[in-house]
Every structure is written in C-alpha cells, then in structure tokens.
Amino acid sequence: MKKILSVALVILLIIFTNPAISAQLGIIPKPNKMVELTGKFTLDKNTRIYLDRSDQEVKRVVDDFRAFVKIPMGFEIRYAGRLPQSGYIGISIDTLIQNKEGYLLMVTPEKVIIKANSPTGIFYALQTLRQLLPPGIEAQFSGKKRWDIPAVEIEDFPRFEYRGFMLDVARHFQPVEVLMRYIDLLSFYKINHFHLHLTDDQGWRIEIKKYPKLQEISAWRKESMVGHAGDKPRKYDGIRHGGFYTQEQLKAVVKYAQAHFITIIPEIELPGHSTAVLAAYPELTCFPKKFEVTPDYGVFEDVYCTKESTFKFLEDVLSEVVEIFPGKIIHIGGDECPKTRWKICPQCQERIKMENLKNENELQSYFIKRIQKFLNSKGRNIIGWDEIMEGGLAPGATLMYWRTWLGDKHIAEAARAGFKIIMSPLDPLYFNLYENEEREITPLAYPGLIPLEKVYNYNPVPLKLTGKDVQNIIGVQANLWSEYVKDGKGAEYMTFPRACALSEIGWSPQASKDYADFIRRLKINTSHLDLLNVNYSKYFLK
Ligand code: ACM
Ligand code: ZN
C-alpha cells in the first residue's frame, strides 16, 4: 500500500513539475521556450496596466488590446500611474532582447510581465496572452468578471523573418471585410506578410486612376466556371462576376495590416496571366485582337509584348501601386509566361536583336530586370515566382519558390547564388488543394490532397543546403488560389487549420516538431476560432 502511495506521489510530482506534460495550454505557434509554473493570475476590474516608458506605438498596441478585451470582460483595464505592488500587467521595451519580433512573457499569481525589443514583440506577447486566456475572450458579449491566466514563463522569437499567406483575389473577388478578417486571423498566429494576388487572366482588382478601363472592363467577367476545369464539357454559371478595390480601400487595408504588424505584398502579374488587361487594352500584346476577361482557368498564350508602350503602361501602373503599398517589396508575378507569341512577334524579335539576347528566355529576363530597375528607382525591390530566375536575374530580387517538381537542387542553386528565397512549394503549401478525402463534406477544390499533417511536417530549409546558404531561406508562405473559392467562408475552410500548421513552420524551432502535441494544442486553440465563428475544417478531430 505504502509502495502504491509513493508511486502515485511520484506520478503526481511528474505531472505537476514536468513542463513536457502540459496541462491545458494550446498556444500556436508553439513558443520557443515555455515553462509552466504553479498557480494563476486573475485578471479583474482591479487589474492595472503599467507601461514603464511612454512609447507611442507601444501605447497604441496596448490600447488596441484594452479595447479588444473590454467587450468580453465588460470592464476596462485601466493604467496605473505608478508601479503597483501586485495585480498588474507590466509592459516594457527591453533592447537586451535580441530578436526584433521576440518577447518574454511571465505570468505569476502576482503579476504579468511582458518585455520585448519592439512594439511588434509586445503585440506578439499580447497574442500569446490572448491564447492563454479562456476562449470567451473572443466573444462579443460580456461574460464573467474574473479571467484566469495560467502561470507560465515564455521566451519566444520566430525561426523565419518572413511568414506569409497569399490570397488570390483575382479568380474570385473578395470584399474588403474578408481581407480585414484575414489580417485579424493571420496576426493572431504571428504571420507577418499577407500577399494579395491582385491581377490575373480572370480579373483585375486594383483601381489604377490613369487607366479607368481596368476598372470598367478588366475587373469584370461575364461568368464563372462551375465544376472542375478538367470536366468535359466545361460548364459555366452565366453569372457576371467581379469587383475591384479602390485605392482608398487598399490604403485602409494597409493601415489595418500595419496596426497588426503585417506587411501587405501586392502582386501585379507580368508578363503572363494578363488576359484581363488585354480585354481593356489589347494594344499591349503582340497581336492585338478582341479579348474578353476569361472565365476559363489555365495558362494563356497572349501576354504583354516587350514593346516600349507596354513598359510605359506597367511603369504607370506600378507608380500608382507604390503610392498605396509602402512595403519594401512588390510582387511582379513572373510565372507561367508562354513564349509562343514573342517567338513570332516582329517587335519582340527586334528587341532580342537590339538587346543582344540569346532567346525568348533571356527576353523574359530582360522584361523582369527592366521592371526591377524601375522599382529600384522608386526605392523598392521585386519578389517573383521562381521562373524569374530563368535567363538570369539581377541581384536584390527575392524568389518565391513554388515549383515542387524541380526539386531541392534547383532552389539550393539559387540560394548558393545569393538570392533570398521564400519557400512556397505547391506540395505541401498550396491550400487550394483538398485538405481531406471526405468529398461529401468538402466544397469543390483543386484536385490533389494536402493534409494537415503534411503541412505541419514541412521543413522550409532543403536538406541540400548547408552553411550560410541556409540564411538565404528567409521564410515560408502558403497560397490559396481561388479558382474554386467563391467567398470568405469558403476561403476560411481551405485556410484553417492548415494556416495554424503554417504559422508553426514559420515560427517554431524545427527541433520541437511533434504532430501529436500540435493536434493536442489545436483542439484547445480552436475554441478561440469557434467563438470567432471561423469556418475551419474539423477533419483533424476525427
Ligand atoms: C503559380 O502557382 N503559378 C505561382
Ligand atoms: Zn511582341
């Protein structure tokens, strides 16, 4: 009996002292270091916030948090003028913390201490705090008066500086509210780049004042495809579809994103995927004719011609784009550009001769470098899909690697050549592919399967890379192409919880990977998403 008691005591001791056997914490992405302590801090109307220095941006971040929790708490957390003895949340900038996005969060029964190198770190600490609070913190009504936060010590910073998500708003236009909601949700998971795919064959979504036909014509198509693109015959819905964001709306999105420490990456596709533009300005292609904004999906052969007037158009467009988006990098597409028209176009052939180029691949490279030079003159740089490497690339460009089938060797060469790379491989980071095999409960999606576990287990650093080349992998991004995604709810289903796995790939150390632990945390964490009414896939619960 005595023996049984002492064994039970040892087990209890292990449970209460071993941080690996975690209680109820469901933080995503998993913090770098976390030790669970005993007890809890209780937040109530007597709790005060103490800011140790007056920093405008820190105050703004904290005020946003106070406004956010005021709704469910039914009271405001007030500031203390002097450092209280206990019962407070102390927030300060501490430049001894190395990583500019890193933070320390210490919760004890007496107080909560948050330290970070920058306002970004303070914001991330508050997102972690939000995940430690009961999920009712996401509710739109006042619930209880006392809010418990488990005692814990966290030291946290990201693995990669670029953690991104792309939403294709060209194939299906998404209202501004959908973008704002994405900013809320992505920043909750410490994702810091939101890439908007604004232009494609099926629609142009950004107001350009100098070219009004982009709004009048390129933003609208007469119908959309229903069923899979591979269906024979293809079927269409006969319903006009489209829309575009005004510059004012996009500036508001940028501002909202900045407040959430997210950089918006706008993508203006060139030289391919330009059918929607050609419907309005057919003179920009090699062999002008009547084009329509296409309801079909795929790769189209009529692309921008390399004549001077095309560059004039694109430079005018990009001049307006840089006025809206202050981020250092502008995405210029560069993928899937057939060279068939260039091969027989007198003006493109003349350009090849004039510029001493070997072939049409080098002509594409000329195109990209010229746009890069223009954006450099505006103080920006380019990012493009990995095709922009072909035919040579000017230094300073960032590659977004998507063509999985080329293998790691291809990307290792680019890293060795010194290019910065964001890993965004089709397999496993294209969230437009099915997440599960239950076709009867899943909306129509792009053929192919990318399960949650496969996303979670992805390591963005190819094994072939060693030494300082590893540093050239600056981050990771998942993409949601929207051929089959009609609205915000449909987008959420494809995005979550795979974006939770993405956030962990981008933030948490590779060595701490543990899928079973991730699922355990996800089950707790999604109670926040439930209250936020996020339409996430529940397949992981099976
Ligand atoms: C791509 O999927 N065409 C970048
Ligand atoms: Zn041409």
Side-chain angles (χ1 to χ4, degrees):
M1 186 64 190
K2 232 178 171 177
K3 195 166 169 201
I4 293 173
L5 270 178
S6 59
V7 168
L9 193 66
V10 168
I11 291 172
L12 277 175
L13 266 173
I14 291 172
I15 289 173
F16 285 111
T17 55
N18 185 349
I21 301 177
S22 171
Q24 297 304 314
L25 309 191
I27 303 171
I28 292 176
K30 187 180 194 163
N32 264 259
K33 278 192 208 150
M34 182 169 92
V35 181
E36 290 178 43
L37 309 172
T38 43
K40 59 184 193 298
F41 178 86
T42 300
L43 208 162
D44 62 22
K45 68 179 184 354
N46 298 316
T47 305
R48 295 287 176 269
I49 290 182
Y50 180 71
L51 293 184
D52 123 14
R53 259 190 291 155
S54 66
D55 174 307
Q56 283 275 318
E57 182 65 351
V58 171
K59 173 115 186 342
R60 199 271 306 157
V61 168
V62 175
D63 280 345
D64 281 357
F65 182 75
R66 290 169 68 235
F68 176 78
V69 298
K70 187 180 163 188
I71 303 164
M73 288 188 176
F75 58 84
E76 194 156 53
I77 314 176
R78 303 217 301 269
Y79 285 110
R82 282 185 300 137
L83 183 67
Q85 294 264 304
S86 65
Y88 71 98
I89 303 174
I91 299 176
S92 59
I93 292 288
D94 183 346
T95 47
L96 289 176
I97 293 169
Q98 304 252 312
N99 190 293
K100 68 180 193 329
E101 296 181 296
Y103 67 90
L104 294 177
L105 170 64
M106 169 106 130
V107 180
T108 66
E110 292 77 40
K111 61 194 174 194
V112 175
I113 298 294
I114 291 173
K115 293 178 189 226
N117 171 294
S118 72
T120 319
I122 304 282
F123 176 82
Y124 286 146
L126 291 171
Q127 298 315 304
T128 301
L129 193 66
R130 196 173 142 193
Q131 296 193 3
L132 285 170
L133 277 156
I137 202 68
E138 316 296 343
Q140 286 302 308
F141 53 87
S142 172
K144 44 209 202 139
K145 302 266 174 271
R146 293 164 63 79
W147 297 76
D148 290 342
I149 308 170
V152 70
E153 194 178 335
I154 292 173
E155 188 184 332
D156 208 7
F157 57 91
R159 179 178 178 199
F160 293 106
E161 67 183 66
Y162 185 109
R163 306 175 300 280
F165 180 82
M166 186 209 80
L167 185 63
D168 170 8
V169 291
R171 272 53 176 267
H172 279 99
F173 177 68
Q174 306 294 344
V176 170
E177 298 72 48
V178 172
L179 306 189
M180 300 301 201
R181 185 164 160 88
Y182 259 89
I183 289 167
D184 286 336
L185 293 170
L186 296 175
S187 64
F188 183 54
Y189 291 113
K190 303 185 176 82
I191 290 169
N192 64 356
H193 288 81
F194 187 24
H195 169 176
L196 296 177
H197 184 73
L198 289 165
T199 74
D200 215 303
D201 301 297
Q202 299 79 9
W204 179 279
R205 308 285 173 230
I206 168 173
E207 177 193 27
I208 300 295
K209 297 194 196 261
K210 193 156 185 180
Y211 297 96
K213 282 195 282 182
L214 292 173
Q215 288 77 259
E216 289 156 21
I217 296 171
S218 307
W220 305 94
R221 62 172 183 257
K222 73 170 192 284
E223 58 189 350
S224 303
M225 212 189 281
V226 287
H228 276 125
D231 293 352
K232 288 196 176 87
R234 284 182 171 180
K235 293 189 257 354
Y236 302 90
D237 63 6
I239 302 167
R240 183 172 137 96
H241 175 84
F244 64 92
Y245 307 110
T246 65
Q247 295 195 356
E248 284 314 302
Q249 284 176 319
L250 288 169
K251 283 179 185 166
V253 170
V254 167
K255 193 160 173 237
Y256 193 70
Q258 278 172 337
H260 291 74
F261 300 93
I262 283 184
T263 303
I264 303 283
I265 307 281
E267 180 180 356
I268 306 295
E269 267 272 16
L270 56 90
H273 287 293
S274 40
T275 311
V277 174
L278 301 181
Y281 300 101
E283 63 275 19
L284 297 174
T285 191
C286 297
F287 301 100
K289 60 175 185 174
K290 188 165 169 26
F291 294 96
E292 63 168 17
V293 180
T294 181
D296 283 313
Y297 305 136
V299 172
F300 299 84
E301 297 200 324
D302 292 288
V303 300
Y304 290 121
C305 179
T306 61
K307 59 193 163 195
E308 253 346 89
S309 53
T310 306
F311 289 106
K312 168 83 173 72
F313 167 82
L314 289 169
E315 289 178 8
D316 287 343
V317 166
L318 290 169
S319 296
E320 293 194 30
V321 168
V322 296
E323 291 300 318
I324 304 166
F325 299 98
K328 285 200 194 71
I329 46 179
I330 306 288
H331 203 301
I332 49 85
D335 60 319
E336 299 179 319
C337 178
K339 315 292 187 293
T340 37
R341 302 292 188 254
W342 291 359
K343 279 191 175 136
I344 54 168
C345 166
Q347 295 178 88
C348 287
Q349 290 304 311
E350 180 58 28
R351 174 77 73 189
I352 287 179
K353 251 195 251 140
M354 225 166 58
E355 302 290 340
N356 255 328
L357 306 171
K358 278 203 204 74
N359 51 34
E360 289 73 23
N361 269 352
E362 288 200 359
L363 187 57
Q364 155 128 350
S365 166
Y366 166 85
F367 204 119
I368 302 293
K369 282 186 199 152
R370 199 165 150 174
I371 296 293
Q372 183 182 15
K373 210 161 147 194
F374 176 75
L375 282 169
N376 287 166
S377 78
K378 300 268 177 195
R380 311 302 176 88
N381 221 321
I382 61 163
I383 181 167
W385 302 109
D386 58 79
E387 284 97 326
I388 66 170
M389 270 174 81
E390 290 165 2
L393 184 60
T398 303
L399 294 178
M400 198 166 258
Y401 170 76
W402 73 281
R403 291 181 296 171
T404 321
W405 58 92
L406 297 179
D408 285 356
K409 188 164 161 280
H410 173 75
I411 214 63
E413 275 165 22
R416 221 161 284 142
F419 291 106
K420 299 271 181 251
I421 298 161
I422 292 158
M423 298 300 281
S424 191
L426 189 156
D427 186 0
L429 293 183
Y430 272 29
F431 289 179
N432 42 308
L433 275 66
Y434 287 101
E435 184 250 359
N436 64 67
E437 292 187 279
E438 294 197 330
R439 295 291 170 268
E440 60 286 358
I441 61 161
T442 309
L444 192 76
Y446 199 92
L449 186 66
I450 310 257
L452 181 62
E453 186 166 5
K454 195 164 189 201
V455 177
Y456 181 81
N457 284 325
Y458 176 64
N459 180 4
V461 177
L463 295 177
K464 284 197 164 61
L465 274 194
T466 51
K468 70 176 183 13
D469 298 341
V470 172
Q471 318 273 310
N472 286 332
I473 307 290
I474 60 164
V476 62
Q477 177 172 295
N479 301 325
L480 180 55
W481 301 98
S482 69
E483 284 94 336
Y484 300 96
V485 177
K486 302 218 182 302
D487 55 23
K489 285 289 157 208
E492 283 176 12
Y493 185 85
M494 301 309 283
T495 305
F496 297 99
R498 287 186 288 190
C500 303
L502 168 76
S503 96
E504 204 137 321
I505 299 170
W507 185 282
S508 311
Q510 177 68 14
S512 75
K513 281 269 172 87
D514 177 345
Y515 186 65
D517 174 62
F518 171 69
I519 292 298
R520 181 193 66 74
R521 283 180 288 116
L522 188 62
K523 286 178 182 166
I524 301 163
N525 188 282
T526 44
S527 53
H528 288 258
L529 297 188
D530 288 331
L531 275 165
L532 291 167
N533 211 11
V534 175
N535 183 32
Y536 63 90
S537 164
K538 314 276 190 303
Y539 192 70
F540 72 96
L541 293 170
K542 305 218 158 166

